[in-house]
Amino acid sequence: MSEVATVVTGWGITFIVIATYSIWVVSRGKIIGQELGIGEMEQLDARKDAGATTDL
């Protein structure tokens, strides 16, 4: 194998490892956030929204 192929293979493996790890970190963070109740979107209820008007 030439030096260029070795470098390309090394960079490719490095990229795959970093991408896989970053996906794992993000998914793990989302799981922990759900367990702690962080970042949950509150569903809006139109009846509770004081700024909602139905008059036209």
Side-chain angles (χ1 to χ4, degrees), residues 2-56:
S2 69
E3 290 85 9
V4 174
T6 304
V7 170
V8 169
T9 302
W11 277 106
I13 292 171
T14 301
F15 176 78
I16 290 171
V17 167
I18 291 173
T20 304
Y21 179 70
S22 63
I23 291 169
W24 178 80
V25 167
V26 169
S27 65
R28 183 69 181 138
K30 287 182 179 182
I31 291 170
I32 292 172
Q34 288 175 350
E35 290 175 357
L36 297 176
I38 298 172
E40 291 180 354
M41 295 296 293
E42 181 180 324
Q43 292 187 356
L44 297 176
D45 187 359
R47 295 173 291 183
K48 294 181 181 177
D49 188 7
T53 59
T54 55
D55 299 335
L56 294 176

